Amino acid sequence: PTAVLVQRQFLEHHGLHVGDPLALTVQKGDRRGHGVFVIAGVFDLFPTTYPNQGPIFVANLDTLFEALGGELPYDVWLRLTPEASGEAVVAGVRKLGIQVVDAEDARSLIRQAQNSPARRGIFGILSAGFLSAAFLTMLSFVIVAFLSFQRRYVELGVLRALGLSQKQMAVLLGTEQAILLVTGVIIGTGLGVVTSYVFIPLLQPGFPTPPFVVHIAWNAVGGIVLFFVVALSLSVASLLSLLSHLKLFQAVKLGEMV
């Protein structure tokens, strides 16, 4: 009942150790009380508190009430199942005769924050930028494939004349495009993941907070990869169309001129 947890900085600053007694003055409103506690452990961070608010202590609630001379309003944290309703829980508690002064549902607060116009606007702009970049990348991929075909017109004609079938030519060009695409996706995704793990922790505020957890949107990454697969399909389809119209005698004639 008299155990207390203290911040590690407080413990080191005052030269205290686990097991030492600690006299504290407890005040809530116009009530004030005194108590002698025993340091049972230390912590760096504690939920809903920030170190810049001053020394933070975690003690037994009943012991604090005894020091203050009676009960006072206090907060209760509940972990609800996903299908539970916060309003229904509060209504059920009140039916039990327990007074509930105020209640907040973290899930509803998160939904409100996610549906705020500012957040939607920022993510909308980011999404539009990513989609535009992906579309331009796909367009450039197809254009480069077409220009590469034009530049290698003679080479492809010579390979065709040497006996490669149209199917083998398609496999050759398709494999080249696939290797290019897979290499780009792997390097791009790897750079994005590394940048996220290096850059996001730098966004931590100046005062101590729980370390940011990096979540990679793999579903979105999969969508972008699918987008590029479509680009690869369009590129291969265009190359097949160009191969079907390849005039062998023109390519060989140009090869002789070169």
Side-chain angles (χ1 to χ4, degrees):
T2 59
V4 66
L5 304 178
V6 301
Q7 289 174 279
R8 190 181 306 275
Q9 289 181 337
F10 179 87
L11 195 77
E12 296 173 352
H13 180 72
H14 293 278
L16 298 173
H17 302 85
V18 175
D20 290 349
L22 180 65
L24 297 176
T25 299
V26 183
Q27 181 174 355
K28 179 67 175 178
D30 56 352
R31 293 193 186 183
R32 181 189 293 263
H34 303 277
V36 178
F37 299 85
V38 178
I39 300 176
V42 297
F43 63 90
D44 296 307
L45 298 168
F46 197 80
T48 72
T49 62
Y50 292 94
N52 59 349
Q53 296 175 347
I56 300 168
F57 305 95
V58 181
N60 187 283
L61 189 61
D62 292 332
T63 304
L64 296 179
F65 286 158
E66 290 178 5
L68 293 171
E71 288 192 4
L72 291 171
Y74 55 92
D75 294 335
V76 176
W77 298 342
L78 299 178
R79 175 180 292 177
L80 305 181
T81 57
E83 63 275 5
S85 170
E87 295 81 2
V89 172
V90 172
V93 171
R94 284 174 174 159
K95 287 182 180 180
L96 296 175
I98 302 175
Q99 183 181 4
V100 179
V101 178
D102 190 18
E104 290 183 342
D105 189 348
R107 293 175 300 182
S108 63
L109 295 176
I110 292 174
R111 284 194 296 268
Q112 291 177 7
Q114 290 178 339
N115 294 329
S116 64
R119 184 180 184 277
R120 286 179 173 269
I122 292 175
F123 278 86
I125 293 174
L126 290 175
S127 298
F130 281 122
L131 290 176
S132 300
F135 175 76
L136 292 176
T137 302
M138 183 185 72
L139 184 62
S140 64
F141 185 78
V142 175
I143 292 176
V144 167
F146 175 77
L147 294 178
S148 175
F149 180 86
Q150 295 294 327
R151 183 178 59 85
R152 300 171 60 189
Y153 189 80
V154 175
E155 175 188 345
L156 296 175
V158 172
L159 291 175
R160 186 78 173 85
L162 290 175
L164 265 70
S165 64
Q166 185 173 342
K167 182 179 179 180
Q168 291 174 325
M169 297 285 291
V171 171
L172 172 64
L173 296 177
T175 302
E176 292 178 353
Q177 298 298 316
I179 292 175
L180 177 63
L181 179 66
V182 170
T183 304
V185 168
I186 292 176
I187 294 177
T189 303
L191 289 176
V193 171
V194 171
T195 302
S196 299
Y197 280 99
V198 171
F199 179 72
I200 290 179
L202 299 179
L203 301 177
Q204 294 273 156
F207 51 88
T209 57
F212 287 171
V213 178
V214 179
H215 289 282
I216 305 298
W218 292 112
N219 292 335
V221 173
I224 296 296
V225 172
L226 181 62
F227 196 68
F228 289 146
V229 170
V230 173
L232 175 64
S233 301
L234 292 176
S235 175
V236 172
S238 301
L239 293 177
L240 288 177
S241 177
L242 294 174
L243 282 175
S244 63
H245 294 85
L246 178 65
K247 297 181 179 180
L248 186 58
F249 69 93
Q250 289 184 354
V252 174
K253 192 66 177 178
L254 286 174
E256 292 177 355
M257 294 176 60
V258 173

